[in-house]
Amino acid sequence: MSEAWKTALTVLQEVDPPFIPQGAHASTIVIEYPPGDPGTPPHRHSGPAFGYVIEGEMRFELQGQPVRIIKAGEVFWEPGGDPIHFQDGNARDDMRLKFTVTMFCAPGTPMLTFVEQDELDRLGWSR
């Protein structure tokens, strides 16, 4: 019998349980961006999202936090709800970015909702 399971587990992140909408469904997706791609336009999620960068480096900007670069092997999360996810683009122009995200979506709500330009203008944010 193998004993590998005793040392196989590595905890990558732990967070206090965020709000998960009642009746939410979970989905895990893989996203791949070519070199230098700016990623998804500013958006919100209806529930929390947990991610892992598989390859490359992501430029990650969540409202209320400084922009940071998340490299392959590192993790990220966002609480969902009101905070705007401004950036998830490829921080490198010489390699692709590949990451996975598991998110909990409120029933009958899309996985993401784009933020209107007038709200971005009020916040003084531009890409």
Side-chain angles (χ1 to χ4, degrees):
M1 177 191 245
S2 171
E3 297 282 320
W5 65 270
K6 292 180 179 179
T7 58
L9 177 96
T10 301
V11 175
L12 297 177
Q13 73 178 337
E14 291 182 311
V15 299
D16 290 333
F19 170 75
I20 298 176
Q22 185 166 354
H25 69 276
S27 59
T28 300
I29 61 174
V30 173
I31 298 171
E32 297 183 54
Y33 293 137
D37 193 273
T40 308
H43 60 277
R44 290 182 171 100
H45 297 288
S46 62
F50 301 86
Y52 176 83
V53 176
I54 299 167
E55 182 180 339
E57 298 180 8
M58 174 198 291
R59 181 174 293 103
F60 184 87
E61 183 180 5
L62 186 64
Q63 188 175 13
Q65 299 179 8
V67 176
R68 59 190 173 119
I69 303 299
I70 302 169
K71 298 179 179 183
E74 297 178 344
V75 296
F76 59 93
W77 85 282
E78 55 185 291
D82 288 334
I84 299 171
H85 187 174
F86 290 111
Q87 295 187 66
D88 67 355
N90 192 337
R92 302 277 302 261
D93 61 5
D94 61 340
M95 65 188 316
R96 74 181 182 154
L97 167 65
K98 183 177 183 179
F99 61 98
T100 183
V101 179
T102 298
M103 57 188 66
F104 296 85
C105 301
T109 305
M111 176 174 51
L112 62 86
T113 304
F114 293 111
V115 177
E116 298 293 329
Q117 186 61 48
D118 63 333
E119 183 176 0
L120 296 173
D121 292 343
R122 281 194 311 274
L123 293 170
W125 188 87
S126 65
R127 184 179 277 175

